Amino acid sequence: MNFLIPLIIIGLIVFLIIRRRKKGHPSQDKEWYFRFALSKEDAVSQLFLLLSFFFLGVTLLSFNRDLGDPFSWRIILFITSVIGLVSTYSFKTIYTLVFSLIGFTGWWVAQATEWLQSKDIKTSAIFAGLTLIALLFYVLGHLHEKEIKFKRFALVFLVLGIIVITGVLFFFSTKSGLDVLGSMTEGKPIFGSWQITLSLFIFMASIVGVTLYSVGKRLILHFELIAVFVFTALFGLIALLPEQNMFVHGIYSGSELSGKGVFWSLIFNLAIFLELFGLIFSGYLRKEVWFINLGAFFLFLLIIVKYFDWFFTFLDKSIFFIGAGILLFIVGWFMEKGRRYILKGVKSESQQISQ
């Protein structure tokens, strides 16, 4: 799961790059919720609160060690993350929210690993829980859009959820990802740990409940409702899968995909493409430019990686790079034309509404 950490960091950097930086008073800025700080004073106060959040965690760890470690470091991480979330909603701070959500996710992954230790249970349960948490972040992000004061919170939830889901689908659409998925399905069923089973049930029930409530409040589009339920079912199914041999000889290196490997490769490649196109389409319907830009960026990146993944070993190197240059030029031109067309439509509709 370590590959998700750089993905989250890169995703946040991408988000900071593509977001619009507008000057002036927040009340005069129609896209004020893109700003992590509403003023310099707000940035400084949030930074100090974030530092106090880190110092609290270090202090609790020190006291726990001095008392003979009556609690595990995972409990300390959970307590610190909960306190961080409480302070986030009390003081409306973004910095603390980001690290609290990452801390909560890290706590569950570490705790789930502890629950599975020495029981030889499928590690796919950890993967399923992580992706379900990301889906929950996504639907909670739309739920936060109900109130203006939580608009910036919504952006954090949405970005974290999109980055994790996209990263997971992207990774498992590759041969190395399928190899990891196959190894995850080795072991006993997840029902051997009631904690894991209960956790996954709570996550799935929360996703269904929050999604249906958001649909009732018209915060989530109907095709997003279908996508959330499909991904929930897909990730939940993976936790229950029997052992999957993804390659003919059971090994990744120098072996072709087996029938199951081809099936799951098609599933994940189709899922990642539909997810990114859905992200762009959602941005158009919502008139959210950052949705379109983020989806287009990931789609362009996916096309580049897939070209290298599919054709690098089949073509002569000179033909490969010449073809890559031509393909990327054509794809980039069409994507840029499409993006500008969509953004032009969004801006014109927004101007008509404002008039």
Side-chain angles (χ1 to χ4, degrees):
M1 298 301 176
N2 292 332
F3 72 93
L4 291 177
I5 298 177
L7 280 175
I8 293 174
I9 296 175
I10 293 173
L12 290 175
I13 294 174
V14 170
F15 169 68
L16 290 174
I17 292 175
I18 65 175
R19 74 185 180 92
R20 292 185 177 182
R21 296 182 178 181
K22 296 204 172 189
K23 298 180 180 181
H25 195 272
S27 62
Q28 301 174 347
D29 189 354
K30 294 181 180 180
E31 297 183 349
W32 59 273
Y33 52 89
F34 282 99
R35 302 168 62 176
F36 267 55
L38 301 179
S39 64
K40 293 181 179 180
E41 294 77 9
D42 181 41
V44 173
S45 63
Q46 288 197 62
L47 180 60
F48 277 112
L49 185 62
L50 179 62
L51 290 176
S52 66
F53 169 75
F54 289 142
F55 288 148
L56 172 64
V58 174
T59 302
L60 291 177
L61 285 173
S62 299
F63 283 157
N64 186 59
R65 183 183 57 187
D66 293 339
L67 295 175
D69 292 323
F71 304 103
S72 67
W73 64 269
R74 295 178 298 279
I75 294 179
I76 302 298
L77 177 60
F78 176 76
I79 294 174
T80 306
S81 299
V82 170
I83 294 176
L85 287 175
V86 172
S87 65
T88 291
Y89 283 90
S90 298
F91 301 104
K92 307 298 184 295
T93 57
I94 300 298
Y95 299 169
T96 313
L97 175 62
V98 174
F99 286 94
S100 296
L101 293 178
I102 294 176
F104 173 80
T105 305
W107 163 78
W108 189 87
V109 172
Q111 189 61 61
T113 304
E114 179 68 19
W115 288 332
L116 298 183
Q117 194 172 13
S118 73
K119 292 184 178 180
D120 193 29
I121 296 177
K122 303 174 185 294
T123 55
S124 58
I126 301 177
F127 156 77
L130 178 62
T131 51
L132 290 176
I133 290 174
L135 281 172
L136 183 59
F137 284 171
Y138 182 81
V139 293
L140 284 174
H142 285 304
L143 182 62
H144 279 76
E145 292 177 334
K146 182 180 178 181
E147 298 186 32
I148 296 297
K149 63 181 179 180
F150 293 130
K151 189 76 171 178
R152 293 193 300 162
F153 286 16
L155 210 58
V156 173
F157 278 98
L158 288 172
V159 169
L160 288 178
I162 291 172
I163 292 298
V164 174
I165 295 170
T166 303
V168 167
L169 293 176
F170 184 86
F171 178 69
F172 286 112
S173 68
T174 63
K175 288 185 177 180
S176 57
L178 290 175
D179 183 50
V180 172
L181 179 61
S183 63
M184 283 183 177
T185 58
E186 299 175 359
K188 299 177 182 178
I190 64 172
F191 302 108
S193 172
W194 67 267
Q195 299 97 328
I196 289 289
T197 306
L198 180 61
S199 297
L200 296 183
F201 175 77
I202 291 175
F203 292 152
M204 296 181 72
S206 300
I207 291 172
V208 172
V210 175
T211 303
L212 292 178
Y213 178 79
S214 300
V215 170
K217 296 296 181 179
R218 296 183 179 180
L219 299 173
I220 288 183
L221 304 173
H222 286 89
F223 85 92
E224 287 180 314
L225 167 69
I226 298 174
V228 169
F229 283 175
V230 168
F231 283 135
T232 301
L234 174 63
F235 297 141
L237 175 63
I238 289 176
L240 303 175
L241 283 177
E243 183 175 350
Q244 303 288 301
N245 294 320
M246 299 298 184
F247 297 92
V248 174
H249 301 294
I251 56 174
Y252 165 52
S253 180
S255 181
E256 297 181 356
L257 287 172
S258 63
K260 292 180 179 178
V262 172
F263 172 78
W264 285 111
S265 177
L266 290 174
I267 291 294
F268 283 111
N269 277 281
L270 181 63
I272 183 65
F273 275 108
L274 291 180
E275 188 248 350
L276 295 180
F277 279 115
L279 190 62
I280 297 173
F281 186 60
S282 175
Y284 176 72
L285 293 180
R286 294 178 178 277
K287 301 178 179 59
E288 291 284 358
V289 176
W290 74 272
F291 258 81
I292 300 173
N293 287 335
L294 190 62
F297 172 79
F298 280 130
L299 183 59
F300 188 75
L301 183 63
L302 179 67
I303 292 173
I304 295 176
V305 174
K306 288 303 175 183
Y307 181 84
F308 276 81
D309 187 35
W310 291 343
F311 299 108
F312 185 77
T313 57
F314 297 102
L315 299 176
D316 179 79
K317 296 301 180 287
S318 58
I319 299 177
F320 171 81
F321 284 108
I322 292 174
I326 296 174
L327 175 65
L328 294 179
F329 176 79
I330 295 174
V331 172
W333 185 81
F334 276 108
M335 288 185 64
E336 182 61 21
K337 291 287 288 185
R339 189 183 71 88
R340 289 185 179 182
Y341 176 78
I342 293 174
L343 294 183
K344 183 179 179 181
V346 170
K347 290 180 181 179
S348 62
E349 291 182 14
S350 300
Q351 290 176 357
Q352 292 176 0
I353 294 175
S354 61
Q355 292 175 355

